[in-house]
């Protein structure tokens, strides 16, 4: 939940072009009165009718008087906006709360409040506020909803002042605006046994020792209370003082979630397209692995990773899990197709070290890209790949399925390299595929008995 900045709207009689501004604010009713008054005055002058002249002057003077009074009245109104929540999944609603405070010593007249929102979020909200007493406030709210992920600006807020006769309207705009982030839909996934987990130390955690050279554990000086069974005699003899082995330190198991964003790899657009399914599935996998205690990062075919602050590019300690998840969700909210044609940059990032578990969502792969993807699988960690069948996603559900020889060949190449590879037809459920991957990892119903994740 975030709070937007506060802005002020004020009618100032010293503005440049005050007369022009006041006349530009005349409504249709005000312009009609003014035109009727001028016409009556001209007719009275031509016909010599003094009574008609007085009527014409009254009709013409009324809208001008209303515009002058409205323009010279100093209204100081503060406005604020609050989003609840500021980050919402696609297809869900968020509520926008608006608050208006009259900070002047004069009561306001009739106010019309209007907030600017993109058409994707719905119609532009408008509210009519009655007279606001000095020091008073008014609160209103409206709902926004989008089926398309992205970042959408809200504002600036506009306040329209009117006189009691409806002759004149003046608009004042606030300078602040807020941003609503629509993130991909996240599908809950079942917990399955993954590689990189060490029994007895919780999910997503393993123990590691710091090494000096190739053989020796890095020792430290003896401290009062240390267990004598941990004395490292070789280092004690080398340094001439009592040295002990360092304790085993828990280390979070790693997981890299790879998203293929190549424009050539996906067909179609819109909420039901293959690319949007891949983005939503990537978000689901990221959230699931973070909840399991893994140290996770998002990697794309361009070689960019999130987060990228740490030396290894992975999310840090457990207290940073929420921040890391928010950062990756914000990235997925605005991610789009890349101009690249290959996966070589992502492969260069992955081959640099032990990446632990690798979960990849691929679009269409030709033979060359399938070979690169096959080499991404590291010996020290598991790898599971979801291949979106482009032909299946391009067809309507009622169409007759076409040949799958090309997709089956790509799956075979990945499985031979040690991947647990699954084809993703149109309308598939990630939860079902997630469970199927675990069954194939266990050797149940796996073509060729692939080992998959571990």
């Amino acid at each position: 939940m975030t709070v937007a900045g506060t802005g002020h709207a004020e009618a100032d009689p010293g503005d440049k072009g005050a007369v022009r501004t006041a006349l530009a604010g005349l409504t249709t009713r005000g312009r009609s009165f003014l035109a009727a008054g001028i016409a009556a005055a001209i007719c009275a002058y031509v016909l010599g009718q003094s009574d008609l002249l007085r009527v014409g002057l009254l009709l013409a003077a009324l809208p001008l008087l209303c515009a002058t009074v409205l323009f010279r009245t100093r209204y100081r109104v503060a406005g604020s906006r609050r989003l609840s929540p500021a980050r919402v999944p696609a297809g869900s609603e968020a509520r926008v709360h608006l608050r208006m405070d009259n900070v002047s010593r004069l009561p306001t007249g009739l106010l019309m409040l209007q907030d600017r929102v993109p058409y994707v979020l719905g119609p532009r909200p408008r509210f009519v506020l009655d007279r606001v007493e000095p020091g008073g406030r008014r609160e209103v709210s409206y709902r926004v909803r989008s089926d398309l992920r992205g970042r959408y600006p809200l504002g600036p807020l506009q306040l329209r002042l009117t006189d009691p006769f409806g002759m004149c309207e003046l608009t004042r705009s606030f300078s602040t605006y807020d941003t609503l982030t629509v993130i991909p839909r996240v599908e809950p996934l079942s917990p399955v046994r993954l590689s990189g987990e060490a029994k007895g130390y919780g999910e997503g955690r393993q123990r590691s020792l710091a090494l000096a050279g190739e053989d020796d554990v890095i020792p430290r000086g003896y401290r009062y209370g240390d267990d004598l069974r941990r004395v490292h005699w070789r280092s004690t003899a080398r340094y001439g003082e009592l040295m002990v082995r360092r304790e085993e330190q828990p280390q979070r198991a790693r997981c890299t979630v790879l998203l293929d964003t190549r424009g050539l790899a996906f067909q179609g657009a819109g909420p039901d397209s293959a690319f949007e399914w891949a983005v939503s599935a990537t978000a689901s996998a990221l959230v699931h692995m973070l909840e399991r205690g893994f140290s996770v990062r998002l990697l794309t075919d361009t070689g960019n990773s999130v987060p990228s602050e740490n030396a290894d590019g992975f999310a840090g300690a457990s207290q940073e899990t929420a921040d890391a998840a928010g950062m990756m969700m914000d990235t997925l909210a605005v991610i789009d197709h890349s101009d690249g044609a290959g996966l070589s940059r992502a492969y260069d990032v992955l081959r640099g070290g032990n990446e632990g578990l690798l979960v990849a969502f691929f679009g269409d792969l030709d033979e060359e890209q399938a070979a690169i993807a096959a080499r991404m699988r590291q010996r020290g960690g598991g790898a599971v790949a979801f291949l979106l069948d482009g032909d299946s996603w391009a067809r309507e559900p009622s169409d007759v399925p076409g040949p799958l020889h090309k997709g089956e060949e790509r799956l075979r190449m990945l499985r031979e390299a040690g991947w647990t590879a699954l084809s993703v037809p149109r309308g598939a459920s990630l939860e079902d595929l997630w469970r199927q991957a675990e069954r194939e990892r266990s050797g149940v119903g796996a073509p060729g008995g692939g080992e998959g994740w571990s």
Side-chain angles (χ1 to χ4, degrees):
M1 185 177 297
T2 61
V3 180
T6 301
H8 296 272
E10 179 178 345
D12 190 349
D15 287 347
K16 183 178 180 180
V19 176
R20 183 185 307 170
T21 303
L23 293 178
L26 290 176
T27 63
T28 302
R29 179 184 301 177
R31 295 176 186 273
S32 300
F33 268 69
L34 181 60
I38 295 176
I42 295 176
C43 292
Y45 177 78
V46 173
L47 301 176
Q49 297 291 330
S50 59
D51 294 337
L52 182 59
L53 179 60
R54 286 192 289 268
V55 173
L57 293 177
L58 177 62
L59 292 176
L62 183 58
L64 297 177
L65 180 62
C66 291
T68 303
V69 173
L70 182 64
F71 190 80
R72 295 184 61 85
T73 301
R74 299 181 64 88
Y75 290 143
R76 299 188 65 246
V77 181
S80 62
R81 181 190 298 104
R82 178 169 54 90
L83 303 183
S84 177
R87 186 187 289 118
V88 61
S92 300
E93 291 184 345
R95 183 167 289 274
V96 183
H97 301 268
L98 303 177
R99 172 177 166 177
M100 303 300 301
D101 294 273
N102 184 11
V103 296
S104 64
R105 297 181 179 180
L106 297 175
T108 67
L110 193 65
L111 305 178
M112 190 176 80
L113 193 63
Q114 177 177 279
D115 204 8
R116 290 186 177 181
V117 300
Y119 73 94
V120 177
L121 300 181
R124 181 171 296 183
R126 293 182 175 88
F127 304 93
V128 177
L129 305 180
D130 294 333
R131 176 180 178 273
V132 182
E133 65 278 4
R137 70 178 60 168
R138 297 290 185 271
E139 295 184 1
V140 293
S141 64
Y142 64 94
R143 294 177 296 180
V144 291
R145 179 181 181 275
S146 175
D147 292 328
L148 299 175
R149 57 184 176 82
R151 292 174 61 88
Y152 301 101
L154 301 178
L157 197 62
Q158 289 184 334
L159 191 64
R160 187 173 297 177
L161 312 175
T162 61
D163 64 279
F165 301 101
M167 298 288 181
C168 183
E169 290 182 351
L170 294 181
T171 301
R172 293 291 182 265
S173 297
F174 294 85
S175 58
T176 58
Y177 66 93
D178 217 341
T179 302
L180 176 67
T181 303
V182 180
I183 62 176
R185 295 184 181 93
V186 175
E187 181 178 352
L189 301 178
S190 301
V192 296
R193 191 66 184 174
L194 307 175
S195 65
E197 297 176 280
K199 297 181 180 179
Y201 297 107
E203 294 180 327
R205 292 188 177 275
Q206 59 187 7
R207 286 184 175 254
S208 64
L209 296 176
L211 300 181
E214 298 179 354
D215 302 319
D216 295 337
V217 175
I218 293 181
R220 61 171 175 81
Y222 176 82
R223 299 172 185 169
Y224 179 76
D226 285 337
D227 190 348
L228 293 178
R229 289 175 296 182
R230 292 196 295 108
V231 173
H232 194 261
W233 298 109
R234 182 184 301 177
S235 298
T236 298
R238 179 185 303 173
Y239 295 105
E241 59 177 323
L242 200 59
M243 307 292 289
V244 296
R245 294 182 176 89
R246 293 181 182 271
E247 299 90 344
E248 291 181 329
Q249 304 198 356
Q251 180 181 1
R252 292 160 62 91
R254 293 178 174 181
C255 175
T256 298
V257 181
L258 172 62
L259 174 61
D260 183 6
T261 64
R262 295 172 299 134
L264 298 176
F266 297 93
Q267 302 180 34
D272 298 328
S273 64
F275 182 69
E276 292 302 322
W277 190 98
V279 173
S280 178
T282 300
S284 302
L286 288 171
V287 172
H288 176 74
M289 302 309 295
L290 284 171
E291 292 176 348
R292 295 291 302 276
F294 277 71
S295 189
V296 183
R297 73 171 172 180
L298 169 65
L299 179 66
T300 65
D301 59 289
T302 61
N304 297 326
S305 64
V306 180
S308 58
E309 291 81 1
N310 299 333
D312 54 6
F314 287 84
S318 58
Q319 59 266 24
E320 300 177 1
T321 299
D323 294 337
M327 188 185 308
M328 288 184 282
M329 290 299 105
D330 289 344
T331 301
L332 291 176
V334 297
I335 200 167
D336 201 355
H337 291 295
S338 66
D339 296 331
L343 302 171
S344 57
R345 293 183 180 179
Y347 171 70
D348 293 338
V349 175
L350 291 172
R351 70 177 180 177
N354 180 20
E355 305 301 330
L357 177 65
L358 175 60
V359 180
F361 296 91
F362 294 116
D364 287 331
L365 298 176
D366 56 24
E367 185 175 357
E368 178 183 358
Q369 300 309 315
I372 295 176
R375 294 197 300 269
M376 292 181 181
R377 202 267 187 183
Q378 302 292 326
R379 292 184 178 181
V384 58
F386 299 92
L387 275 70
L388 277 76
D389 183 3
D391 295 334
S392 173
W393 284 87
R395 292 192 304 266
E396 294 296 331
S398 58
D399 292 347
V400 178
L404 299 179
H405 300 297
K406 177 181 176 181
E408 292 295 338
E409 176 65 20
R410 305 297 179 253
L411 291 174
R412 185 189 61 80
M413 294 178 62
L414 294 180
R415 287 166 179 164
E416 290 179 352
W419 286 79
T420 297
L422 300 176
S423 177
V424 182
R426 181 174 183 177
S429 169
L430 178 61
E431 167 67 11
D432 296 339
L433 294 173
W434 196 258
R435 290 179 176 273
Q436 181 181 349
E438 167 60 12
R439 291 194 298 269
E440 294 197 6
R441 182 202 68 84
S442 303
V444 180
E451 297 184 357
W453 301 52
S454 59

